Amino acid sequence: MTEALSNAFGDLDGRVWLNAAHQGPLPLAAAEEAREAIAWKLSPRNLTSARFSEVPERLRGAFGRLLNAPPDEVVLANSASYGLHLVANAYPWQAGDEVVVVAGDFPSDILPWLAVEERLGVRVRRVRPARHVLEPDELLAALTPKTRLLCTTWVHSFSGYAIDMQRIGEICRENGVVFVLNAAQALGARSLDTRTAPIDALVSVGFKWLCGPYGTGVCWLRPSLRERLRRVKAYWLTMQSADDLGGPVADAVLEEGTNPRALDVFGTANFFNFKPLAAAVEHVLEIGTDRIETHDQALVSRLIAGLPSHCKLLSSAEGPRRSTLVFISHRDASQNR
């Protein structure tokens, strides 16, 4: 597997890149897709109507396979924040409803709900966990009859600890609470099956562990949640095609019901980004997330075992709470910079 991975990426200028938590390196196959997209734009006759639909549908299909979800449940995004704002703005809030977030979580998991609080009178309750991430008993203690939604991260960006997603999701279901999971620091490095995971929405970026271009992301919505969301935007290209405009001119009308495509970010035929992102996700699928997770955990074990004596491990040393994010510090706090 190591040889296959090394052949799939560039030489990184002879260096070893350890920070996919910030930016994953683009696979060579994805770089080739980006070059082809540039060639299309250099000669715009190549930007055919078919390609305007083929590019987003290829990406939607790849994410569907990654999440074990029908492609129609996949929302194409430009960030994790896109999906969070989508749910925050479209959810049918009532005055007095509560959202639970985790104090010390990544800002993207908190700010969209604060904007809703400011605008609609929804109450945002920040639960400060005893350690790094929200524990099931802490969630149980925080819930009230007014709690409608929980938003938290799968892998904590500032400690590397993973939550007990299964138990937290079960608690949410038992109490009728929508569970929104930010998987930006896990998707691609961990396996997830939306058919069995007790979550209602998942958001992620495409440029970290999925190794796609920056400015890409995905959102998955369980149909039972999607059908409750209000219409917050009306993008013409989700209701018509460019070819439709060549026929008799008709007044624009809103489609009835919830069209999953209407939730996508505008400009889904994002050739420069979505074409290489599809190849990056397909690369992950070809290897298999189970194999990637096993390989990554072996590397984490090797790193931890090789830490010098003056270093202190801040992340989980082993078990399901350990992720691919490893945090260390000097045992002498004055030496930390």
Side-chain angles (χ1 to χ4, degrees), residues 129-273:
R131 297 194 69 190
H132 303 287
V133 295
L134 185 68
E135 297 294 341
D137 60 334
E138 293 173 324
L139 173 60
L140 270 172
L143 296 180
T144 77
K146 290 286 191 178
T147 306
R148 299 289 174 263
L149 186 146
L150 165 71
C151 177
T152 190
T153 190
W154 188 359
V155 171
H156 188 229
S157 297
F158 306 123
S159 70
Y161 274 81
I163 65 169
D164 184 348
M165 178 177 62
Q166 185 65 33
R167 183 59 191 134
I168 285 178
E170 290 169 353
I171 291 170
C172 287
R173 286 188 173 179
E174 291 162 3
N175 291 272
V177 174
V178 173
F179 183 14
V180 179
L181 182 73
N182 187 336
Q185 291 296 0
L187 193 63
R190 288 185 169 218
S191 298
L192 184 138
D193 186 341
T194 58
R195 300 302 92 184
T196 57
I199 60 175
D200 299 291
L202 175 145
V203 302
S204 182
V205 297
F207 55 85
K208 296 182 185 291
W209 303 98
L210 291 172
C211 296
Y214 184 72
T216 57
V218 65
C219 172
W220 168 82
L221 300 171
R222 194 172 294 283
S224 57
L225 172 61
R226 187 190 70 217
E227 291 163 4
R228 298 173 62 192
L229 299 181
R230 296 168 173 162
R231 191 194 303 273
V232 292
K233 58 190 180 73
Y235 182 37
W236 73 271
L237 203 50
T238 65
M239 305 176 196
Q240 297 175 287
S241 71
D243 290 339
D244 293 332
L245 302 182
V249 177
D251 288 336
V253 295
L254 287 174
E255 286 185 343
E256 294 184 3
T258 304
N259 176 359
R261 302 292 192 274
L263 302 176
D264 288 338
V265 68
F266 295 158
T268 50
N270 184 347
F271 302 108
F272 291 173
N273 273 353

Side-chain angles (χ1 to χ4, degrees), residues 12 33 57 72 77 97 124 133 149 163 194 197 207-208 219 252 265 288 291 304 310 321 323:
L12 301 175
E33 295 281 350
E57 292 314 303
D72 279 350
D97 285 347
V124 177
V133 295
L149 186 146
I163 65 169
T194 58
F207 55 85
K208 296 182 185 291
C219 172
V265 68
R291 291 179 64 198
I304 292 175
H310 65 267
R321 297 305 182 92
S323 72

